[in-house]
């Protein structure tokens, strides 16, 4: 099995939403090149329907511009973005997404793609913790191998 096929089969079945775009940061980019089924479920669309769209399709009136500006700055600098955004599903319902987006870099150091891991979170009840991450918790907690593996490669750690 080719490594690319192996990677695809891992991502296809991953319980966490994964979306890969090209590296064109400015409008109309970036363009979604790959999304797994968990991403389709998260955004309430058929996975094949999101290919070719910009991730901006999830935005709405309560998506915070200040966070989007931080996101755009990180993409332009070729840096990681880790944060929380209000996203909208196809049916108009809204959810808070924790997004861990990283540049994929080729051998010459050029950014060739971005990959984001996304999951729905809810605001923790009670007094908010000091860090951004402490104010939210994941909606679905899964105990499969991949989810246990992700913390070890530092996904979603700030
Ligand atoms: C891989 C990837 C995933 C993204 N996921 C989201 C998302 O879930 N929600 C969102 O509002 N923006 C998302 N974005 C950010 C937007 O595509 C865009 O970069 C952002 O709106 C800032 O750029 P702008 O100021 O030109 O709109 C994502 C970007 C990338 C590269």
């Amino acid at each position: 099995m080719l490594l690319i096929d192996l990677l695809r089969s891992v991502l296809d079945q991953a319980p966490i939403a994964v979306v890969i775009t090209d590296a064109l940061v400015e409008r109309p980019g970036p363009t979604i090149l790959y999304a797994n089924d968990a991403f389709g479920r998260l955004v309430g669309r058929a996975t094949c329907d999101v290919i070719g769209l910009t991730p901006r399709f999830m935005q709405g009136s309560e998506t915070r511009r200040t966070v989007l500006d931080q996101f755009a700055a990180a993409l332009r600098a070729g840096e990681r973005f880790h944060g929380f955004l209000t996203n909208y599903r196809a049916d108009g319902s809204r959810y808070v997404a924790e997004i861990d987006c990283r540049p994929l870099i080729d051998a010459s150091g050029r950014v060739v793609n971005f990959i984001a891991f996304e999951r729905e979170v809810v605001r923790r009840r009670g007094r908010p913790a000091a860090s951004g991450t402490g104010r939210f918790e994941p909606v679905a907690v899964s105990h499969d191998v991949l989810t246990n593996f992700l913390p070890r490669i530092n996904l979603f750690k700030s």
Side-chain angles (χ1 to χ4, degrees), residues 19-27 29-32 39 42-43 54-60 63 65 67-73 75-76 81 85-88 95 97-102 113-118:
V19 57
I20 299 176
T21 67
D22 62 19
L24 296 172
V25 174
E26 308 305 333
R27 282 171 191 274
T31 301
I32 296 176
F39 184 80
L42 181 66
V43 303
T54 158
R56 291 187 194 85
F57 80 83
M58 293 172 269
Q59 298 169 6
T63 310
R65 191 62 246 175
V67 182
L68 291 177
D69 289 343
Q70 291 163 10
F71 204 152
L75 295 180
R76 279 190 201 107
F81 167 83
L85 273 171
T86 299
N87 273 351
Y88 290 78
Y95 64 96
E98 180 175 13
I99 301 174
D100 188 337
C101 182
R102 294 148 189 255
N113 295 95
F114 291 101
I115 183 167
F117 301 86
E118 307 201 3

Side-chain angles (χ1 to χ4, degrees), residues 8-61:
R8 182 179 274 274
S9 69
V10 169
L11 292 182
D12 279 350
Q13 291 159 36
I16 194 158
V18 181
V19 57
I20 299 176
T21 67
D22 62 19
L24 296 172
V25 174
E26 308 305 333
R27 282 171 191 274
T31 301
I32 296 176
L33 304 177
Y34 171 85
N36 67 356
D37 285 345
F39 184 80
R41 288 195 296 274
L42 181 66
V43 303
R45 292 177 189 242
T47 307
C48 56
D49 290 349
V50 305
I51 309 299
L53 301 181
T54 158
R56 291 187 194 85
F57 80 83
M58 293 172 269
Q59 298 169 6
S61 57

